[in-house]
Amino acid sequence: MQLVFASNNKNKIKEIQLLVPSTIQILSLDDIGCTEDIAETADTIEGNAMLKANYVTEKYGYDCFADDSGLEVEALNGEPGVFSARYAGEPKNDENNIAKLLTNLKDVKNKKANFKTVICLNSNGKQHLFTGIINGEIIEERIGNNGFGYDPIFVADGYQKTFAELSLEEKSNISHRGIAVKQLITFLQKQFR
Ligand code: IMP
């Protein structure tokens, strides 16, 4: 069967293709001729994942899954959340986003935060949501060069290193995205063995 991953990130597509049962062929947005930007206009991470998956299923008729992620900071009522990519405005810039977050947390004691990924799967006329969460805290200075986004200022609970100090493999083992993907794969393995 064919399953669209609502993404054009070649690395993400390759990674997922290796993990799903071999009876499933993963297609990218390019593969189905979807070249338009799907507007991420929902006000929650779940909402954006659903919006992207529904767009593909409704407009192109494919079973599909889409993901959306963000960083939620407790003392900031869950900000930047769904606005994580563009927290400091357009065009999106990781450095500026980190600077804005550190400024907003300057005199705040509670540095608890979590990364969250939601994957929305539309399959056989049904919708399924898979959520991955990793708890941790924001530190006051940037450490590490790996990864992207807020990785240099996020330390997962039980760890001494930031996400930007972990290898991709180490991070994937514990990350919000890794957790959500594992749930998706387990579901697909049960359904399409
Ligand atoms: P996306 O939905 O995966 O594109 O994530 C949206 C935004 O959330 C990214 O642009 C980052 O700012 C932030 N983010 C999501 N996942 C991570 C992560 O694993 N590390 C650091 N930042 C992340």
Side-chain angles (χ1 to χ4, degrees):
M1 67 167 286
Q2 294 184 314
L3 183 62
V4 174
F5 180 10
S7 167
N8 273 326
N9 182 324
K10 294 238 157 36
N11 290 321
K12 277 192 184 180
I13 303 269
K14 240 195 232 165
E15 244 177 68
I16 289 279
Q17 180 67 71
L18 290 174
L19 296 171
V20 298
S22 55
T23 51
I24 298 178
Q25 182 192 7
I26 300 290
L27 302 176
S28 68
L29 290 175
D30 276 345
D31 290 335
I32 60 164
C34 174
T35 50
E36 61 272 28
D37 253 345
I38 306 174
E40 299 186 21
T41 50
D43 57 9
T44 59
I45 293 172
E46 290 80 359
N48 270 341
M50 288 163 71
L51 188 148
K52 286 185 270 185
N54 290 346
Y55 183 91
V56 171
T57 300
E58 283 160 21
K59 188 153 182 212
Y60 292 86
Y62 282 92
D63 280 357
C64 173
F65 65 92
D67 68 339
D68 201 56
S69 304
L71 175 71
E72 300 178 323
V73 179
E74 191 172 278
L76 301 177
N77 299 317
E79 267 190 33
V82 72
F83 304 112
S84 292
R86 293 172 176 78
Y87 192 41
E90 297 281 359
K92 65 178 179 183
N93 179 295
D94 289 345
E95 258 312 302
N96 295 347
N97 289 340
I98 288 179
K100 178 172 176 181
L101 187 66
L102 292 181
T103 302
N104 288 347
L105 281 177
K106 206 164 166 242
D107 299 315
V108 178
K109 264 211 176 124
N110 176 8
K111 306 276 195 213
K112 282 188 196 163
N114 67 267
F115 276 119
K116 174 168 160 181
T117 293
V118 176
I119 296 176
C120 173
L121 169 71
N122 291 337
S123 169
N124 287 331
K126 286 194 185 142
Q127 187 157 77
H128 310 269
L129 293 182
F130 306 97
T131 303
I133 289 178
I134 174 91
N135 292 311
E137 65 171 13
I138 301 299
I139 58 165
E140 284 166 22
E141 51 175 332
R142 302 159 176 80
I143 307 178
N145 297 309
N146 301 333
F148 69 102
Y150 301 88
D151 281 346
I153 55 165
F154 181 82
V155 177
D157 286 348
Y159 281 72
Q160 310 297 327
K161 293 178 177 176
T162 67
F163 263 11
E165 293 179 282
L166 301 182
S167 68
L168 181 59
E169 200 187 348
E170 285 171 328
K171 181 183 162 188
S172 297
N173 267 328
I174 58 166
S175 78
H176 48 309
R177 197 169 293 98
I179 295 167
V181 166
K182 271 178 214 148
Q183 289 175 22
L184 171 73
I185 301 300
T186 303
F187 178 86
L188 291 172
Q189 282 169 342
K190 278 195 193 135
Q191 296 269 308
F192 302 106
R193 255 186 306 207

